Amino acid sequence: MKEKRDKYVELARQTINDFVIDRRKRTPDYPLDKGFVRQAAVFVSLKKDGQLRGCIGTIEPCYENIAQEIINNAISACSQDPRFNPVVEGELPYLDITVDVLSKPEKVNKSSELDPDKYGVIVENGVRNGVLLPALPGISDFSQQLEIARKKAGILPDEEMEIYRFKVNRHK
């Protein structure tokens, strides 16, 4: 029996393969499947041998539909994450890809509204912001989650910041 593959992950995988092998940016297949029509922020994460290999996303929708959001973030995750060299063709069969579709962020007023297993966080100070997805291995409490997001944003511990939370629909 053939395992059913997630359509969001398959789009990300096909996009990455097309881009890495042929330097070609795919376009969505129109008419769009129902699940791709709406707008939403999306993160595409790549892992190889259990280790992060790339992760790029948006905290607000930037494109007219989820398909375009996935395509653009998949290309960025495999080629523009500043923490990693671009993905090369030999790595393609070994990539585990996750696509997270984000809910609309909501402002957090007190720490009891945070739960790193359930919510991702966005921290902001002026134009600086840091994002951390929910349910990440090794992150067990909200203070740890906020500290990592703060560091990603370059916000010092004594600086004020606004905090937002969001949920994700994770596709593997």
Side-chain angles (χ1 to χ4, degrees), residues 4-135:
K4 185 175 182 195
R5 295 183 173 214
D6 183 277
K7 61 187 173 186
Y8 291 177
V9 173
E10 278 305 300
L11 177 58
R13 184 174 302 284
Q14 291 166 357
T15 298
I16 291 167
N17 287 348
D18 289 350
F19 186 79
V20 170
I21 294 169
D22 298 325
R23 285 295 195 237
R24 180 172 62 88
K25 181 179 177 182
R26 78 182 295 110
T27 56
D29 295 328
Y30 291 99
L32 291 174
D33 179 282
K34 182 174 86 173
F36 290 107
V37 174
R38 70 182 176 93
Q39 284 188 304
V42 169
F43 267 77
V44 176
S45 303
L46 314 177
K47 286 188 176 181
K48 180 180 164 196
D49 299 325
Q51 299 297 310
L52 188 63
R53 182 63 182 85
C55 181
I56 299 285
T58 53
I59 56 176
E60 293 181 4
C62 295
Y63 300 95
E64 68 182 54
N65 56 58
I66 289 177
Q68 290 176 330
E69 207 80 35
I70 291 170
I71 289 168
N72 285 282
N73 291 338
I75 290 172
S76 295
C78 78
S79 65
Q80 296 175 14
D81 188 325
R83 300 169 291 182
F84 304 98
N85 289 325
V87 170
V88 297
E89 187 173 348
E91 294 178 281
L92 294 174
Y94 305 103
L95 293 179
D96 290 318
I97 300 171
T98 305
V99 176
D100 289 314
V101 180
L102 281 62
S103 68
K104 185 173 176 61
E106 51 190 33
K107 189 161 177 45
V108 172
N109 296 308
K110 51 189 178 225
S111 59
S112 62
E113 297 174 335
L114 296 173
D115 177 344
D117 291 327
K118 185 176 180 180
Y119 298 106
V121 295
I122 302 165
V123 297
E124 292 182 348
N125 176 302
V127 297
R128 296 176 292 168
N129 68 51
V131 180
L132 203 63
L133 296 170

Side-chain angles (χ1 to χ4, degrees), residues 130-146:
V131 180
L132 203 63
L133 296 170
L136 297 176
I139 299 176
S140 57
D141 64 55
F142 72 86
S143 60
Q144 187 181 18
Q145 185 184 41
L146 289 175

